[in-house]
Amino acid sequence: MASGAPPGTVEAVLRHSESVPEDTPQVRGYDFNHGVDYHALLQSYTTTGFQATAFGQAVKEVNSMIEKKLEPLSEEELKEENLNPLKREKSGCTIFLGYTSNLISCGVREPIRYLVQNNMVDVLVTTAGGIE
């Protein structure tokens, strides 16, 4: 079988399998037979694979930021001076939204505008990019 293979290739390709750790999440997509539950659909992305996993992790992080932003501030935090020039209400979390300029020309301008208009982000950071 390996007679014509270059040296070392058989050992590199035909390696022994290693056991998957017990706590490894099972890859599983959303089951649409149960109807459409958007919360469950977004949560299922953490076990869907490929970029969906990264999206699922992002959803968790966004939810975590929202929860922190909605937490009541301590008495000490409330006494601190509000340095925001717009005097926006202080919260327990400062949310930065960073994006590259090409997102504006590819259809993401409206969601970004919505987030800013509705005070869902505190700081907007973007690249200058080219004239698009």
Side-chain angles (χ1 to χ4, degrees), residues 93-129:
C93 178
T94 301
I95 298 178
F96 286 73
L97 174 61
Y99 63 94
T100 55
S101 63
N102 63 314
L103 290 182
I104 296 302
S105 59
C106 74
V108 185
R109 173 190 2 237
E110 289 74 18
I112 291 172
R113 178 185 47 79
Y114 178 85
L115 294 171
V116 172
Q117 282 181 330
N118 290 279
N119 294 321
M120 295 177 168
V121 295
D122 299 300
V123 180
L124 199 61
V125 181
T126 186
T127 61

Coordinates of all heavy atoms in Angstrom, one line a residue, residues 93-129:
C93 N -21.6 48.9 31.8 CA -20.8 48.3 30.7 C -20.7 49.4 29.6 O -21.7 50.0 29.3 CB -21.5 47.1 30.2 SG -20.8 46.3 28.8
T94 N -19.5 49.5 29.0 CA -19.4 50.4 27.8 C -19.2 49.5 26.6 O -18.3 48.6 26.6 CB -18.1 51.3 28.0 OG1 -18.3 52.1 29.2 CG2 -17.9 52.2 26.8
I95 N -20.1 49.6 25.6 CA -20.1 48.7 24.5 C -19.4 49.5 23.3 O -19.9 50.5 22.9 CB -21.5 48.3 24.1 CG1 -22.1 47.5 25.3 CG2 -21.5 47.5 22.8 CD1 -23.5 47.0 25.1
F96 N -18.4 48.9 22.8 CA -17.7 49.4 21.6 C -18.1 48.5 20.4 O -18.3 47.3 20.5 CB -16.2 49.1 21.7 CG -15.5 50.1 22.7 CD1 -15.6 49.9 24.0 CD2 -14.7 51.1 22.2 CE1 -15.0 50.8 24.9 CE2 -14.0 52.0 23.1 CZ -14.2 51.8 24.4
L97 N -18.4 49.2 19.3 CA -18.7 48.5 18.0 C -17.6 48.9 17.0 O -17.5 50.1 16.7 CB -20.1 48.9 17.5 CG -20.5 48.3 16.1 CD1 -20.5 46.8 16.1 CD2 -21.8 48.9 15.7
G98 N -16.8 47.9 16.6 CA -15.8 48.2 15.6 C -16.1 47.4 14.3 O -16.6 46.3 14.4
Y99 N -15.9 48.1 13.2 CA -16.2 47.5 11.9 C -15.3 48.1 10.9 O -14.8 49.2 11.0 CB -17.6 47.6 11.5 CG -18.1 49.0 11.3 CD1 -18.1 49.6 10.1 CD2 -18.6 49.8 12.4 CE1 -18.5 50.9 9.9 CE2 -19.0 51.1 12.2 CZ -19.0 51.6 10.9 OH -19.4 52.9 10.8
T100 N -15.1 47.4 9.8 CA -14.3 47.9 8.7 C -15.3 48.6 7.7 O -16.5 48.3 7.7 CB -13.6 46.7 7.9 OG1 -14.6 45.8 7.5 CG2 -12.6 46.1 8.8
S101 N -14.7 49.6 7.0 CA -15.5 50.4 6.2 C -16.4 49.7 5.1 O -17.4 50.2 4.7 CB -14.7 51.5 5.5 OG -13.7 50.8 4.6
N102 N -15.9 48.5 4.7 CA -16.6 47.8 3.6 C -18.0 47.3 4.1 O -18.9 47.1 3.3 CB -15.8 46.6 3.1 CG -15.6 45.6 4.1 OD1 -15.2 45.9 5.3 ND2 -15.8 44.4 3.8
L103 N -18.2 47.3 5.4 CA -19.5 46.8 5.9 C -20.6 47.8 5.5 O -21.8 47.5 5.4 CB -19.5 46.6 7.4 CG -18.7 45.4 7.8 CD1 -18.8 45.2 9.3 CD2 -19.2 44.1 7.2
I104 N -20.3 49.1 5.4 CA -21.2 50.1 5.1 C -21.8 49.9 3.6 O -23.0 50.1 3.4 CB -20.6 51.5 5.2 CG1 -20.2 51.8 6.7 CG2 -21.5 52.6 4.7 CD1 -21.4 51.7 7.6
S105 N -20.9 49.5 2.7 CA -21.3 49.4 1.3 C -21.9 48.0 1.0 O -22.3 47.7 -0.1 CB -20.2 49.7 0.4 OG -19.1 48.9 0.6
C106 N -21.9 47.1 2.0 CA -22.4 45.7 1.7 C -23.7 45.4 2.4 O -24.0 44.3 2.6 CB -21.3 44.7 2.0 SG -21.1 44.4 3.8
G107 N -24.4 46.5 2.9 CA -25.7 46.2 3.4 C -25.8 46.2 4.9 O -26.9 45.9 5.5
V108 N -24.8 46.5 5.6 CA -24.8 46.5 7.1 C -25.0 47.9 7.7 O -25.0 48.1 8.9 CB -23.6 45.8 7.7 CG1 -23.6 45.6 9.2 CG2 -23.4 44.4 7.0
R109 N -25.0 48.9 6.8 CA -25.2 50.3 7.3 C -26.4 50.5 8.1 O -26.4 51.1 9.2 CB -25.2 51.2 6.0 CG -25.5 52.7 6.4 CD -25.8 53.6 5.2 NE -25.8 52.9 3.9 CZ -25.0 53.3 2.9 NH1 -24.2 54.3 3.1 NH2 -25.1 52.7 1.8
E110 N -27.5 49.9 7.7 CA -28.8 50.1 8.4 C -28.8 49.5 9.8 O -29.2 50.2 10.8 CB -30.0 49.6 7.6 CG -30.3 50.5 6.3 CD -29.3 50.3 5.2 OE1 -28.5 49.3 5.2 OE2 -29.2 51.2 4.4
P111 N -28.3 48.3 10.0 CA -28.3 47.8 11.3 C -27.3 48.6 12.2 O -27.6 48.8 13.4 CB -27.8 46.3 11.2 CG -28.1 45.9 9.8 CD -28.1 47.2 9.0
I112 N -26.2 49.0 11.7 CA -25.3 49.9 12.5 C -26.0 51.2 12.9 O -25.9 51.6 14.0 CB -24.0 50.1 11.7 CG1 -23.2 48.8 11.6 CG2 -23.1 51.2 12.4 CD1 -21.9 48.9 10.7
R113 N -26.6 51.8 11.9 CA -27.4 53.0 12.2 C -28.4 52.8 13.3 O -28.5 53.6 14.2 CB -28.1 53.6 10.9 CG -28.9 54.8 11.2 CD -29.7 55.3 10.0 NE -30.4 54.2 9.3 CZ -31.6 53.7 9.7 NH1 -32.1 54.2 10.8 NH2 -32.2 52.8 9.0
Y114 N -29.1 51.7 13.2 CA -30.1 51.4 14.2 C -29.5 51.3 15.6 O -30.0 51.8 16.6 CB -30.9 50.1 13.8 CG -31.9 49.7 14.9 CD1 -33.2 50.2 14.8 CD2 -31.6 48.8 15.9 CE1 -34.1 49.8 15.8 CE2 -32.5 48.4 16.8 CZ -33.8 48.9 16.8 OH -34.7 48.6 17.7
L115 N -28.4 50.6 15.7 CA -27.7 50.4 17.0 C -27.3 51.7 17.6 O -27.5 51.9 18.8 CB -26.5 49.4 16.8 CG -26.8 48.0 16.5 CD1 -25.5 47.3 16.1 CD2 -27.6 47.3 17.6
V116 N -26.8 52.6 16.7 CA -26.3 53.9 17.2 C -27.5 54.8 17.6 O -27.5 55.4 18.7 CB -25.4 54.6 16.2 CG1 -25.1 56.0 16.6 CG2 -24.1 53.8 15.9
Q117 N -28.5 54.9 16.7 CA -29.6 55.7 17.0 C -30.4 55.3 18.3 O -31.0 56.1 19.0 CB -30.6 55.7 15.8 CG -30.2 56.5 14.7 CD -31.3 56.4 13.6 OE1 -31.9 55.4 13.4 NE2 -31.3 57.5 12.8
N118 N -30.3 54.0 18.6 CA -31.1 53.5 19.8 C -30.2 53.3 21.0 O -30.5 52.6 21.9 CB -31.8 52.3 19.4 CG -33.0 52.6 18.5 OD1 -34.0 53.0 18.9 ND2 -32.8 52.4 17.2
N119 N -29.0 54.0 21.0 CA -28.1 53.9 22.1 C -27.7 52.5 22.6 O -27.5 52.3 23.7 CB -28.6 54.7 23.3 CG -28.7 56.2 23.0 OD1 -27.8 56.8 22.3 ND2 -29.8 56.8 23.4
M120 N -27.6 51.6 21.6 CA -27.2 50.3 21.9 C -25.7 50.1 21.9 O -25.2 49.0 22.3 CB -27.9 49.3 21.0 CG -29.4 49.3 21.1 SD -30.1 48.2 19.9 CE -31.7 48.1 20.5
V121 N -25.0 51.0 21.4 CA -23.5 51.1 21.5 C -23.1 52.4 22.1 O -23.8 53.4 21.9 CB -22.8 50.8 20.1 CG1 -23.1 49.4 19.6 CG2 -23.2 51.8 19.1
D122 N -21.9 52.4 22.7 CA -21.4 53.6 23.3 C -20.3 54.3 22.5 O -20.2 55.5 22.5 CB -20.9 53.3 24.8 CG -22.0 52.8 25.7 OD1 -23.0 53.5 25.9 OD2 -21.9 51.6 26.1
V123 N -19.5 53.4 21.8 CA -18.4 53.9 21.1 C -18.4 53.2 19.7 O -18.6 52.0 19.6 CB -17.1 53.6 21.8 CG1 -15.9 54.1 21.0 CG2 -17.1 54.2 23.2
L124 N -18.2 54.0 18.7 CA -18.2 53.5 17.3 C -16.8 53.7 16.8 O -16.2 54.8 16.8 CB -19.2 54.2 16.4 CG -19.6 53.6 15.2 CD1 -20.4 52.3 15.4 CD2 -20.6 54.6 14.4
V125 N -16.2 52.6 16.3 CA -14.8 52.6 15.8 C -14.8 52.0 14.4 O -15.3 50.9 14.2 CB -13.8 51.8 16.7 CG1 -12.4 51.9 16.1 CG2 -13.9 52.3 18.1
T126 N -14.3 52.7 13.4 CA -14.3 52.2 12.0 C -13.0 52.6 11.3 O -12.3 53.5 11.8 CB -15.5 52.7 11.2 OG1 -15.5 52.0 10.0 CG2 -15.5 54.2 11.0
T127 N -12.8 51.9 10.2 CA -11.6 52.3 9.4 C -12.1 53.3 8.4 O -13.3 53.4 8.0 CB -11.1 51.0 8.7 OG1 -12.1 50.5 7.8 CG2 -10.6 50.0 9.7
A128 N -11.1 54.1 7.8 CA -11.5 55.0 6.8 C -11.7 54.3 5.5 O -12.7 54.7 4.7 CB -10.4 56.1 6.6
G129 N -11.0 53.3 5.2 CA -11.2 52.6 3.9 C -11.0 53.4 2.7 O -10.4 54.5 2.8

